């Protein structure tokens, strides 16, 4: 299928499909006229890429996981996919802890400002 059809089937712009190709996430062949041609399983692959991007993974991490993403939803269980997903969960938990720390710091600044404001009103 051509890039326009893949875009239509997946809801992903042609520009983004070219980016996925540039990042090594998606492959295509060229017609004699230079048009990209994608394998019929490209639709599923794009859906898988979107799923992993939505989970917060980088294209670099996704590139390492795609060999474990053969057929159907989810990933094949292998030591690599388990390790990558565990690492990603740790990263998200660390980010959440950092966001919680920032939230509390911001709350402290806000409370201090409110106390100052109240003090200046009395």
């Amino acid at each position: 299928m051509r890039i326009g059809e893949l875009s239509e089937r997946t809801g992903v712009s042609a520009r983004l499909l070219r980016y996925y190709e540039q990042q090594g996430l998606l492959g295509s062949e060229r017609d004699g006229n230079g048009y990209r041609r994608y394998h019929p399983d490209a639709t599923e692959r794009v859906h898988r890429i979107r799923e992993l991007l939505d989970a917060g993974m980088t294209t670099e991490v996704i590139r390492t996981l795609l060999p474990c993403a053969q057929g159907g939803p989810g990933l094949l269980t292998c030591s690599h996919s388990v390790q990558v997903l565990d690492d990603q969960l740790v990263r998200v938990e660390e980010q959440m802890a950092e966001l919680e720390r920032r939230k509390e710091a911001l709350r402290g600044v806000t409370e201090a400002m409110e106390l100052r404001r109240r003090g200046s009103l009395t």
Side-chain angles (χ1 to χ4, degrees), residues 63-88:
R63 188 172 39 255
T64 71
L65 281 175
L66 284 176
C68 300
Q70 303 298 318
L75 298 169
L76 298 175
T77 302
C78 64
S79 60
H80 176 70
S81 65
V82 170
Q83 184 62 54
V84 169
L85 294 176
D86 285 347
D87 290 348
Q88 292 299 304

Side-chain angles (χ1 to χ4, degrees), residues 101-113:
R101 185 198 64 74
R102 289 180 187 180
K103 179 177 119 180
E104 291 306 314
L106 190 56
R107 184 173 281 139
V109 170
T110 303
E111 288 170 0
M113 286 175 57

Side-chain angles (χ1 to χ4, degrees), residues 1-121:
M1 81 186 90
R2 288 189 179 167
I3 196 167
E5 184 180 348
L6 182 58
S7 175
E8 190 174 303
R9 286 184 181 191
T10 61
V12 174
S13 71
R15 181 176 182 209
L16 201 47
L17 293 171
R18 286 189 291 273
Y19 173 75
Y20 294 165
E21 195 171 338
Q22 178 187 15
Q23 295 299 304
L25 305 177
L26 186 62
S28 70
E29 296 176 359
R30 298 288 184 148
D31 282 345
N33 58 9
Y35 291 142
R36 286 177 168 85
R37 280 261 183 225
Y38 294 93
H39 192 271
D41 68 355
T43 301
E44 181 62 36
R45 189 170 185 96
V46 171
H47 287 302
R48 185 62 39 79
I49 292 165
R50 295 300 314 157
E51 175 184 49
L52 296 171
L53 285 168
D54 289 346
M57 295 183 199
T58 65
T59 56
E60 184 178 330
V61 170
I62 293 169
R63 188 172 39 255
T64 71
L65 281 175
L66 284 176
C68 300
Q70 303 298 318
L75 298 169
L76 298 175
T77 302
C78 64
S79 60
H80 176 70
S81 65
V82 170
Q83 184 62 54
V84 169
L85 294 176
D86 285 347
D87 290 348
Q88 292 299 304
L89 283 171
V90 167
R91 183 180 64 83
V92 168
E93 288 169 354
E94 289 170 351
Q95 290 173 337
M96 289 173 66
E98 176 61 17
L99 286 172
E100 188 62 36
R101 185 198 64 74
R102 289 180 187 180
K103 179 177 119 180
E104 291 306 314
L106 190 56
R107 184 173 281 139
V109 170
T110 303
E111 288 170 0
M113 286 175 57
E114 183 62 26
L115 287 173
R116 256 194 212 130
R117 187 183 68 78
R118 286 183 190 166
S120 67
L121 293 177

